[in-house]
Amino acid sequence: MTTILDVPGGHATTRPAVPRMAWLDAMRGFAAVVVALFHLGPYVIGRENHLLIYQHFDLGKYGVLLFFLVSGYVIPMSLERHGSLRRFWIGRLFRIYPAYLFTIALVVLLVVTGVTEPHPGVREDPLGAALGQITMLQDLVGVSGMITPFWTLSFEMAFYLIVAGLFAWNLHRLSAWWAGGLTLAAVVGGPMLPDALLGGTVGRRHLLAAGLVLVVTACLASQISGRRPFVLAAGAAGIGLVVLPAVNGHATRWVVATSSWQALLMLGVMFAGTVVYRLEYNEIRRRPAVASLVLVFLGCVVTNWLHTGQTAELVRWGAVTAAVTATFLLAWALRARRMPAALTWLGAVSFSVYLLHVVVVGLLKRVVPVETDGSLTNRIVFAAGFAAGTLLLAWFVHRFVERPGQTLGRSLQRRAMTVLGPEEPLRPRGTTEGSDAGTGSLGKAGRSV
């Protein structure tokens, strides 16, 4: 769901600027299509056939894990290219929030006008849902998103905050330890990890959601300010948010992750993407990098089976993990080649496709009675309407919401330098990148795990 940050200027680094990579766009476009097809499936092939496929292969998780790997690869690149937390956060917020807020506004409009019904989780706890949407951390609070696909944004935001915190404290090269450590915590901790320690009741969820609004706002304001003491304090708070998936990963039935250990696995996959990135650019030693990637792979395959005892989990997660790994490796191997234009275009609009395709499904259900009359004609009409409606709506939002938001973000990045002044160095001046006391940017002088 992420896009590659591409902003001018910034702090000098010893690494040449990394160009926008078409293979990552193609991966995001492919992943968005996969997730959309997963949600389309029940209406085109029937619920029984959809569930039959799901027993052996979870197409939705396949697409989401691809997204998570790409995020893990891209986010450190976006941050470390300029070595500026201020640039990173302004750019990130103005890339994801415009389309996100548009989607929320559209859903609210459709509900208020009676066109669609609200998500049952939102209807059950509207205050908690409203507070949760502000930070995008709703799933880790234990409240429902306005639409189901919002659940992945909780992991995206948590990952951004943790990675920014690690960068602030010069711990960003410990990617292999984070990937392997989160996976080991999921494997070893398993059912011993509480699922709802912080959000076990409605009141606690409201308190947690409101507290996170304050914490996240303070973190972003502090890191954008560029003042070293505030940046370090915010960084520590950001790193500390790893506690959310560890002890509150499945606080209610509205949360997609089935447990805290599964939530930790999701973050582990994202850090695996970071390991691949650092390995490619020779910023990490090969053996620990490969060891952590193997550990994440095996953890994804066996953890759900290990803690549930269900063979179906081993089959499903084994197939999904193998497919995700093969797809990512294939795309990475072809990264120097020209990607199909259709996939790179889909990559550009992938965030809007991901957010809005379920809205299109809800609207189509009102006009095509595919659930009560599953005739071939209705299924074809539903599929065609879904494809056309999703792509047109995604194009519209990308063109008139996302891109203007990104332009505004770039303008604010430049203005922030004038208003707030330069960012204070996080490390002593004169040190080399990649050393233990290096600058905010990352180079190849010293490798770590």
Side-chain angles (χ1 to χ4, degrees):
M1 273 88 59
T2 60
T3 51
I4 301 173
L5 188 63
D6 187 15
V7 292
H11 300 319
T13 70
T14 60
R15 180 199 308 215
V18 183
R20 187 177 182 91
M21 296 184 179
W23 73 278
L24 292 169
D25 281 334
M27 279 279 289
R28 290 188 296 110
F30 175 73
V33 170
V34 167
V35 174
L37 290 176
F38 174 73
H39 291 131
L40 173 65
Y43 306 100
V44 175
I45 64 174
R47 293 192 180 276
E48 290 186 3
N49 291 327
H50 177 77
L51 290 174
L52 182 63
I53 294 173
Y54 176 79
Q55 289 176 5
H56 303 283
F57 191 85
D58 186 343
L59 197 65
K61 284 292 192 299
Y62 169 60
V64 165
L65 292 181
L66 282 175
F67 270 129
F68 283 169
L69 275 177
V70 172
S71 289
Y73 187 101
V74 167
I75 294 306
M77 180 196 305
S78 301
L79 172 57
E80 295 162 19
R81 180 188 306 176
H82 300 293
S84 167
L85 285 164
R86 178 187 294 166
R87 283 183 174 273
F88 170 75
W89 276 118
I90 294 176
R92 202 99 296 270
L93 293 176
F94 280 88
R95 280 186 176 271
I96 58 179
Y97 265 91
Y100 174 70
L101 293 175
F102 176 90
T103 303
I104 291 175
L106 178 60
V107 172
V108 170
L109 176 64
L110 293 174
V111 169
V112 169
T113 56
V115 176
T116 60
E117 293 293 323
H119 190 289
V122 174
R123 189 165 52 231
E124 181 181 280
D125 184 9
L127 176 59
L131 290 170
Q133 315 301 305
I134 296 173
T135 60
M136 294 188 180
L137 293 171
Q138 56 270 357
D139 249 54
L140 297 178
V141 170
V143 297
S144 173
M146 294 292 291
I147 54 175
T148 302
F150 279 6
W151 76 270
T152 61
L153 303 184
S154 296
F155 290 90
E156 293 278 351
M157 182 57 75
F159 182 70
Y160 298 165
L161 289 161
I162 294 169
V163 167
L166 293 173
F167 180 83
W169 283 92
N170 201 27
L171 301 172
H172 47 293
R173 292 177 307 239
L174 301 179
S175 310
W177 288 102
W178 275 82
L182 289 166
T183 303
L184 277 177
V187 174
V188 176
M192 292 185 293
L193 296 172
D195 286 338
L197 182 64
L198 305 176
T201 65
V202 172
R204 283 158 62 183
R205 287 192 291 276
H206 290 176
L207 184 62
L208 176 60
L212 284 173
V213 170
L214 297 178
V215 170
V216 172
T217 300
C219 283
L220 300 187
S222 297
Q223 293 186 346
I224 289 173
S225 77
R227 301 300 171 255
R228 185 174 182 272
F230 297 142
V231 171
L232 292 177
I239 296 172
L241 289 179
V242 73
V243 73
L244 287 176
V247 302
N248 207 63
H250 186 73
T252 66
R253 60 194 171 115
W254 306 117
V255 175
V256 173
T258 60
S259 58
S260 288
W261 45 265
Q262 192 177 93
L264 287 176
L265 273 181
M266 302 291 183
L267 273 183
V269 169
M270 300 181 86
F271 274 101
T274 307
V275 172
V276 174
Y277 163 68
R278 300 209 186 284
L279 188 59
E280 179 180 353
Y281 287 94
N282 198 33
E283 295 168 353
I284 190 171
R285 290 195 293 269
R286 186 172 298 274
R287 286 187 178 180
V290 172
S292 69
L293 293 175
V294 171
L295 181 58
V296 173
F297 178 89
L298 294 176
C300 287
V301 171
V302 306
T303 305
N304 291 273
W305 163 73
L306 188 65
H307 297 320
T308 65
Q310 299 177 15
T311 304
E313 291 288 336
L314 180 62
V315 173
R316 184 161 50 243
W317 278 87
V320 167
T321 304
V324 168
T325 303
T327 304
F328 192 85
L329 288 177
L330 176 62
W332 184 84
L334 299 175
R335 66 193 183 281
R337 300 195 178 189
R338 183 180 296 275
M339 294 289 115
L343 277 182
T344 55
W345 180 81
L346 281 170
V349 302
S350 61
F351 189 45
S352 290
V353 169
Y354 180 82
L355 293 179
L356 295 163
H357 73 274
V358 292
V359 178
V360 175
V361 168
L363 292 174
L364 282 173
K365 286 163 61 177
R366 305 278 295 189
V367 296
V368 183
V370 70
E371 292 179 298
T372 57
D373 178 10
S375 65
L376 179 61
T377 299
N378 277 345
R379 284 184 284 160
I380 292 174
V381 170
F382 195 96
F386 174 81
T390 298
L391 293 178
L392 283 172
L393 186 55
W395 169 82
F396 176 85
V397 174
H398 176 71
R399 173 64 181 83
F400 296 104
V401 179
E402 287 191 76
R403 284 171 56 183
Q406 294 165 14
T407 300
L408 177 59
R410 287 191 288 269
S411 175
L412 289 176
Q413 285 171 332
R414 293 188 292 268
R415 182 166 175 75
M417 181 65 176
T418 302
V419 174
L420 301 176
E423 296 171 73
E424 295 177 1
L426 295 176
R427 259 70 74 183
R429 294 184 182 276
T431 54
T432 59
E433 293 181 301
S435 64
D436 289 338
T439 67
S441 304
L442 179 64
K444 301 177 183 178
R447 293 182 294 169
S448 181
V449 298

